[in-house]
Amino acid sequence: MEDRIYIIIMNLSFYIILLVLQILTPKMTRKNIYFGIRIPEKELENIELKKIYKEYVLENIIVSIPSMILLSLWAYFYDNIVVISSLPIFIYIAVLFLVYLRANGKVKKLKQEENWEKPKEE
C-alpha cells in the first residue's frame, strides 16, 4: 500500500515537471518558430499569437489537472507494475502532445489567414 503511494507521488512530480516543460517549450525555442511554425520577424508581437499562447497555457492546466487525478487513481487501484509506474506517464505525455498539436493548428491557420510570407532562408 505504501509503495503505491510513493509511486503516485513520484508520478505526480513527473506530471508537474512535464507540465512546466510543456508550458515553457514555445518560449524556449527560436524566436521565429512558434509552436513549430515559422513566423515572420515583424509578426512576433502579434496579439493573436499571444492569445493563442495564453489559451495554450490554460488548456494545458485544464487538461492536466483531471488527467493527473485520473491517472493517479488508475495507478493506485491497478495491480500491474507496468500500469503503476510507466504507462500513466506515457498517456500523460500523449495528452500534452494533443494540446500542443491543437496550438500548432491554430498558429498554422492564423499564418494562412494572415497570408504571412515565408521568411528568407538563412
Side-chain angles (χ1 to χ4, degrees):
M1 182 78 96
E2 281 186 29
D3 292 340
R4 289 182 186 202
I5 292 174
Y6 291 128
I7 289 173
I8 289 172
I9 291 170
M10 185 177 66
N11 280 359
L12 282 173
S13 64
F14 286 139
Y15 297 151
I16 292 169
I17 290 168
L18 288 171
L19 176 62
V20 170
L21 288 174
Q22 171 85 353
I23 290 172
L24 293 178
T25 297
K27 296 293 183 184
M28 293 188 302
T29 58
R30 291 176 57 184
K31 278 192 231 178
N32 64 338
I33 305 289
Y34 208 72
F35 292 105
I37 307 296
R38 192 173 298 274
I39 302 295
E41 293 279 335
K42 62 183 177 184
E43 299 294 340
L44 292 175
E45 297 300 318
N46 187 299
I47 295 170
E48 286 297 316
L49 287 176
K50 291 181 180 190
K51 181 181 171 192
I52 290 172
Y53 181 75
K54 286 179 185 177
E55 290 173 359
Y56 170 76
V57 171
L58 187 63
E59 287 175 13
N60 269 299
I61 293 169
I62 289 172
V63 167
S64 290
I65 292 173
S67 296
M68 287 180 195
I69 293 169
L70 290 174
L71 290 171
S72 296
L73 287 173
W74 182 42
Y76 183 79
F77 289 112
Y78 206 79
D79 288 332
N80 189 333
I81 190 68
V82 173
V83 172
I84 290 173
S85 60
S86 59
L87 190 59
I89 292 173
F90 288 116
I91 292 171
Y92 184 68
I93 290 170
V95 167
L96 292 179
F97 181 68
L98 292 175
V99 174
Y100 184 87
L101 277 181
R102 182 175 157 96
N104 172 279
K106 288 179 182 179
V107 174
K108 195 179 290 186
K109 183 180 175 185
L110 178 65
K111 181 177 179 177
Q112 195 173 35
E113 287 174 356
E114 298 291 327
N115 200 18
W116 291 334
E117 75 283 350
K118 277 189 172 181
K120 295 177 183 173
E121 297 281 331
E122 291 183 15

